Amino acid sequence: MTYSKKDVITFVINVVFPVKLCIGTALVASNGVPFVPLNFILLFLDTYWKHSMTDMYHNSRCTISRQTIVLLEENNIQANIIDYTSQPPHLADLKVLVKKLGLSPRSLLRKNEAIYKEMGLKDPVLSGKVLFEAMSQYTKLIERPIVVHHDKAILGPRPEAVLELFAL
């Protein structure tokens, strides 16, 4: 498992320094300098990595999306819940999502929605930009839920699939 420089710095600032201040003399190396055991640091980093920087694009009207939130909570995974129906994603956000999902823009569309048919989005010559604009304007076109963790993402429809992001 590898950790970014930012993860290590965040850990040192938020955990190592406070621990050194709180238990200072309880954990002392032979040279008299307080330290935190390496296994504690690795355990924290592992936990931090699994539970930080997680976003979930959520539609409160979607049963699977609500089930996914419950599943994350049951597994003690704290996610930033983004209700994309009230906070429509920008074009740039949709492009990043598609990249993290490893899908095409078309794969992110809900093809059974009436607006999909009305707008003629089935047309294969439509560009990704047109599809992104449609999803940004009509959020019900976006497949859900989408859980993003660091540089990877998973798209529903099975709530259990999101646990793959966390190796649980």
Side-chain angles (χ1 to χ4, degrees), residues 32-53:
V33 177
F35 73 98
V36 176
L38 182 59
N39 60 347
F40 175 77
I41 293 171
L42 294 177
L43 175 66
F44 174 80
L45 287 175
D46 185 50
T47 303
Y48 178 80
W49 182 258
K50 285 180 183 171
H51 302 292
S52 66
M53 301 184 338

Side-chain angles (χ1 to χ4, degrees), residues 17-168:
F17 291 156
V19 166
K20 285 171 101 175
L21 293 173
C22 293
I23 8 180
T25 56
L27 301 170
V28 178
S30 60
N31 63 1
V33 177
F35 73 98
V36 176
L38 182 59
N39 60 347
F40 175 77
I41 293 171
L42 294 177
L43 175 66
F44 174 80
L45 287 175
D46 185 50
T47 303
Y48 178 80
W49 182 258
K50 285 180 183 171
H51 302 292
S52 66
M53 301 184 338
T54 302
D55 292 326
M56 179 179 161
Y57 289 83
H58 168 65
N59 181 336
S60 58
R61 298 180 73 190
C62 173
T63 302
I64 293 171
S65 194
R66 291 191 307 270
Q67 290 171 348
T68 302
I69 289 176
V70 169
L71 185 66
L72 290 173
E73 289 171 352
E74 287 172 350
N75 284 277
N76 297 317
I77 298 168
Q78 297 173 352
N80 175 34
I81 307 299
I82 302 164
D83 184 350
Y84 65 83
T85 59
S86 62
Q87 298 172 302
H90 299 284
L91 297 178
D93 296 331
L94 289 169
K95 288 178 184 178
V96 169
L97 280 176
V98 165
K99 183 178 178 186
K100 288 182 178 186
L101 286 163
L103 299 173
S104 69
R106 189 167 298 282
S107 300
L108 200 55
L109 287 169
R110 293 179 53 85
K111 294 163 183 72
N112 292 332
E113 294 293 333
I115 193 75
Y116 175 84
K117 294 170 181 112
E118 291 169 16
M119 294 181 72
L121 297 175
K122 186 177 182 178
D123 186 349
V125 297
L126 293 176
S127 69
K129 182 179 180 193
V130 170
L131 299 177
F132 286 136
E133 287 172 353
M135 286 185 271
S136 185
Q137 186 174 2
Y138 301 99
T139 57
K140 65 170 39 179
L141 286 168
I142 302 172
E143 277 289 356
R144 58 198 178 246
I146 302 168
V147 177
V148 181
H149 185 65
H150 297 282
D151 62 342
K152 294 182 182 173
I154 287 187
L155 177 65
R158 290 183 318 107
E160 300 79 23
V162 303
L163 297 180
E164 295 170 18
L165 286 172
F166 307 96
L168 297 176

